[in-house]
Amino acid sequence: MDLVVVSNRVARAKANEPMTGGLAAALLPVVEKSGAIWVGSSGRVRDNVSRDSFAEIESLGAGALALLDLPAAHYGGYYEGFANSALWPALHSRADLIQVAPGDYQSYREVNAFMARALMRFCKPDTMLWIQDYHFLALGAELRKLGIRHPIGFFLHTPWPVRRIMSGVPHHRDLVEAMLCYDLIGFQTEDDCENFAAYLRAELGLAVADGEVVSRFGTSRIATFPIGIDVDGFAAQAQRAASHPEVSRLRKSLHGERLAIGVDRVDYSKGLVNRISAFDRLFEIEPALKRAVSLLQIATPSRGGIEAYSNLQDALSRQVTEVNGRHGEVDWTPIRYLSKGFSQTVLAGFYRAAQVGVVTPLHDGMNLVAKEYVAAQNPVDPGVLVLSKFAGAANELDAALLVNPHDIDGMARAIAMALAMPATERRMRWEAMMARLRAGTIHQWFSGFTAALEATRAAGRPPALVRPLRSLSGAAC
Ligand code: G6P
């Protein structure tokens, strides 16, 4: 079986480069090992693009990485426009932030169609295609238009919101119906899967039964595939990273002080403002913790061309300055705020050096930082994970200290509790979390999805069927 994996952002196989976002970093080791062709955006645009506008094709493990220049005329409307100003806020239940300019949806569809044409060169008779994330909801439909009958799977890395929010996205019906050209549609959690099924029933009048929906395009399977990490690989990386110069510098700077760590893209879904407020509150309710603990917040700038993101960057800088001004002293900074990215290796070392991992998104598909923080810990003296109950990871990591990211006082108390937790309880919670991580690694995720996609091959997909849409009775997916 040949596999082609498609995502907007891809990762290079260089351990020392900063990574942007969980998707690319998570996919790299498994795609590399599988021998798949990984196709994505080169990050550059061109005026005159043809289907052969592959900027680079280089080897990646046993397979290849193929980077495509995207059409300049449509890139803004696609990436900053429809994908990140309409879909991303909606998928994270921020309907108030949805902004669509005229032409954005058309640009989004044009880029999906362009990617479909570019993929044709990789479609051999037994190829399967696996499309990643919200940038390419309509890519399957565009491939079908070109006559591709191969198995095509889709996995959404973000949450899928309740129907009312999704219906706030312009052209939502057109788009979600296009998704039904996929043979297999994967989500992170049961909630996402159920929200999607509820949408299909209410907005498209389709029935979902036993994880299947039949539309005029044929049958699509809908299922959950919670993404994991390479647990043992990451643990070994963290152990090795202890001697990395950057990690040694961090340890030396602590002078016996304890460390909490947060690592996020600057994104309104990550709950960064509330997290900084929780530390502000912590130093008010537990003044004895001043000088005894500080937060290292790595906040990688993201999507800076979009107003909601640049506003957030400014707001966070102001907030951190205020909190440091209020609680800091000449020789102590409560919040070390770094606006840049770090390599996986250095991050692994930082996680191991921190007694508390703070992962408090308002809404998150999975959040792999939570999983990486756990895997990076020293088994004898593990740190404590403070985790938002609204991260997909909370379904598995229920031995973390689960918090409501809207409850500032509750978060402050949870951080204080983490700092006071005895070693026996820390070890007990950590072992429970490691067992869950080992039960669902990135390797199992990859093989589970590709096996399920392969299984759809047997069923085949007929040319566009036109049949009554309300013919089945509904059940949970
Ligand atoms: C999230 C998305 C990914 C995306 C990443 C970074 O993890 O699910 O698809 O690649 O954020 O965002 P960016 O816009 O920088 O690619």
Side-chain angles (χ1 to χ4, degrees):
M1 163 209 77
D2 283 330
L3 180 67
V4 174
V5 176
V6 184
S7 62
N8 179 68
R9 188 177 285 276
V10 298
R12 298 281 174 95
K14 289 178 191 134
N16 291 325
E17 263 185 19
M19 294 273 191
T20 307
L23 181 158
L27 283 181
L28 179 61
V30 272
V31 174
E32 216 173 1
K33 209 167 141 198
S34 70
I37 297 172
W38 189 0
V39 183
S41 156
S42 65
R44 288 184 297 268
V45 294
R46 264 199 223 178
D47 282 331
N48 296 313
V49 281
S50 70
R51 69 159 64 174
D52 275 323
S53 75
F54 280 99
E56 291 157 66
I57 301 187
E58 57 189 56
S59 66
L60 179 71
L65 182 66
L67 301 180
L68 192 61
D69 290 349
L70 295 178
H74 294 294
Y75 187 76
Y78 152 76
Y79 177 76
E80 290 178 341
F82 200 78
N84 284 312
S85 297
L87 288 173
W88 180 272
L91 293 167
H92 292 84
S93 301
R94 288 298 304 270
D96 58 314
L97 294 178
I98 295 176
Q99 275 195 349
V100 186
D104 281 0
Y105 184 59
Q106 195 206 337
S107 290
Y108 179 87
R109 294 299 302 246
E110 291 284 347
V111 170
N112 276 237
F114 176 76
M115 177 59 87
R117 292 193 294 275
L119 289 174
M120 294 295 280
R121 76 189 257 178
F122 298 116
C123 289
K124 298 190 198 122
D126 64 347
T127 298
M128 299 198 309
L129 295 114
W130 184 6
I131 316 304
Q132 312 286 328
D133 232 357
Y134 62 98
H135 307 88
F136 293 120
L137 296 181
L139 180 50
E142 299 297 343
L143 285 160
R144 299 290 182 220
K145 274 192 209 159
L146 296 174
I148 295 294
R149 298 268 167 264
H150 303 58
I152 314 179
F154 173 81
F155 184 77
L156 185 68
H157 291 256
T158 71
W160 186 274
V162 294
R163 178 181 69 83
R164 278 173 57 85
I165 302 254
M166 199 58 208
S167 65
V169 174
H171 309 281
H172 60 96
R173 281 202 199 90
D174 191 39
L175 195 56
V176 179
E177 200 183 22
M179 288 174 72
L180 299 175
C181 289
Y182 290 118
D183 297 293
L184 176 62
I185 303 174
F187 294 97
Q188 299 273 27
T189 69
E190 290 296 331
D191 279 353
D192 303 324
C193 202
E194 279 163 22
N195 287 343
F196 186 70
Y199 177 98
L200 295 181
R201 292 185 192 109
E203 295 288 337
L204 301 182
L206 295 171
V208 185
D210 300 328
E212 279 192 1
V213 57
V214 179
S215 70
R216 64 198 174 97
F217 304 117
T219 302
S220 301
R221 284 207 62 76
I222 303 168
T224 56
F225 298 87
I227 195 168
I229 62 166
D230 175 6
V231 186
D232 294 325
F234 201 83
Q237 195 174 18
Q239 201 174 0
R240 282 196 306 271
S243 57
H244 192 286
E246 196 108 32
V247 179
S248 306
R249 272 171 64 201
L250 172 65
R251 282 188 195 274
K252 276 194 205 126
S253 73
L254 289 170
H255 305 297
E257 185 187 333
R258 285 182 296 166
L259 189 70
I261 191 167
V263 177
D264 307 80
R265 277 185 312 104
V266 176
D267 192 298
Y268 45 79
S269 66
K270 302 292 182 186
L272 288 165
V273 169
N274 289 7
R275 187 182 307 163
I276 305 294
S277 298
F279 275 85
D280 188 14
R281 182 84 185 119
L282 176 72
F283 296 124
E284 272 165 23
I285 60 173
E286 297 272 2
L289 287 177
K290 288 189 184 184
R291 305 183 74 96
V293 64
S294 60
L295 169 68
L296 170 61
Q297 178 62 55
I298 293 169
T300 316
S302 175
R303 306 175 194 165
I306 300 171
E307 204 185 346
Y309 287 81
S310 52
N311 288 345
L312 178 62
Q313 273 169 32
D314 295 346
L316 281 166
S317 304
R318 280 197 303 275
Q319 191 192 10
V320 169
T321 307
E322 278 165 26
V323 174
N324 281 341
R326 192 157 37 247
H327 301 289
E329 292 174 28
V330 284
D331 57 350
W332 177 64
T333 306
I335 296 169
R336 305 173 180 204
Y337 184 83
L338 303 181
S339 306
K340 58 180 168 181
F342 286 85
S343 69
Q344 285 282 89
T345 307
V346 171
L347 287 178
F350 285 177
Y351 292 143
R352 198 175 173 100
Q355 287 73 31
V356 185
V358 232
V359 183
T360 53
L362 305 179
H363 212 164
D364 214 332
M366 177 55 67
N367 199 303
L368 294 179
V369 169
K371 294 189 170 183
E372 289 173 353
Y373 175 77
V374 172
Q377 295 309 300
N378 175 355
V380 185
D381 187 22
V384 180
L385 176 65
V386 174
L387 178 62
S388 162
K389 62 179 178 175
F390 301 124
N395 291 319
E396 293 155 82
L397 302 180
D398 51 0
L401 288 183
L402 294 184
V403 294
N404 171 1
H406 301 285
D407 175 3
I408 307 298
D409 201 58
M411 278 199 286
R413 286 179 197 289
I415 296 161
M417 191 189 287
L419 288 163
M421 193 180 284
T424 41
E425 183 177 349
R426 283 190 276 122
R427 279 196 292 269
M428 223 171 63
R429 287 176 180 268
W430 178 78
E431 277 157 21
M433 290 193 280
M434 282 299 272
R436 296 298 296 267
L437 293 188
R438 289 211 165 90
T441 66
I442 187 75
H443 307 287
Q444 284 150 302
W445 175 78
F446 193 85
S447 55
F449 191 98
T450 48
L453 182 57
E454 176 87 60
T456 68
R457 188 194 292 276
R461 179 162 280 258
L465 287 175
V466 182
R467 63 163 72 187
L469 296 183
R470 292 168 201 273
S471 57
L472 296 173
S473 63
C477 66

